[in-house]
Amino acid sequence: MSKLNNMKIIKLSDDLYRIPLPNDAKYPYLEWKTDLTMQQFAKSIDVVEVPLVKFIALCVDPAIPMVPHADTWAKEKLSRYVDIQNCEKYNMDMPRIGFSERDLKRNLLQILLRRKPETVWAVGFVGGRHRVRIAEKLGAQFIPVQINKSESDDFKKHLGLSRQH
């Protein structure tokens, strides 16, 4: 197992976060910025620091499925995605998500028979599924994500997180 840096996410500014990586990773850290101007949307958007393994376990929305683990990608695709994480050249947008109850198997027969749909609490992505998988591949333990404040408390509860500010 690789030796880890201090894995705590560092908030560099209202809009920029540093994600530490293991000492043997290609980069010492990733830097992700909010894709919404936080001054403009501060009343409606939360940034939540999430444990990556628990977060990925909640990414089961059938309408927006999580991309497969980066180890399954073509070598060229993986290389391209890893290269654009170089924070000396780029600051990537932080993933934006939604979190709510989602229909697991919504179909026409269920609707016609007025049967209650089978639901589960799940993450739905606005953007950032590939960035999450690259962070996982590079060894991040925690990542920040953007979520509407109206969904934030339920999200934190399902992750077992205490209230963050």
Side-chain angles (χ1 to χ4, degrees), residues 111-131:
I111 295 168
L112 293 174
L113 296 175
R114 297 178 188 239
R115 290 192 179 153
K116 184 177 177 178
E118 194 178 331
T119 61
V120 64
W121 282 90
V123 167
F125 280 86
V126 175
R129 296 177 306 159
H130 290 82
R131 277 166 269 154

Side-chain angles (χ1 to χ4, degrees), residues 101-163:
E101 283 190 291
R102 312 292 170 119
D103 291 348
L104 280 180
K105 299 175 187 170
R106 184 88 172 168
N107 61 43
L108 184 58
L109 184 58
Q110 246 183 346
I111 295 168
L112 293 174
L113 296 175
R114 297 178 188 239
R115 290 192 179 153
K116 184 177 177 178
E118 194 178 331
T119 61
V120 64
W121 282 90
V123 167
F125 280 86
V126 175
R129 296 177 306 159
H130 290 82
R131 277 166 269 154
V132 168
R133 286 299 194 184
I134 290 298
E136 175 188 37
K137 173 72 176 162
L138 293 174
Q141 300 295 306
F142 296 88
I143 61 168
V145 297
Q146 295 176 100
I147 185 169
N148 287 334
K149 283 189 178 182
S150 63
E151 299 170 342
S152 183
D153 286 341
D154 286 329
F155 178 61
K156 291 173 192 173
K157 177 181 156 192
H158 280 82
L159 284 170
L161 301 175
S162 61
R163 185 154 171 81

Side-chain angles (χ1 to χ4, degrees), residues 11-17 32-40 47 91-92 94 146:
K11 183 176 179 179
L12 300 173
S13 70
D14 284 344
D15 296 344
L16 187 62
Y17 292 74
W32 287 355
K33 60 183 173 50
T34 57
D35 70 339
L36 300 171
T37 305
M38 291 310 286
Q39 290 88 6
Q40 185 179 359
V47 173
N91 287 328
M92 299 302 296
M94 184 183 301
Q146 295 176 100

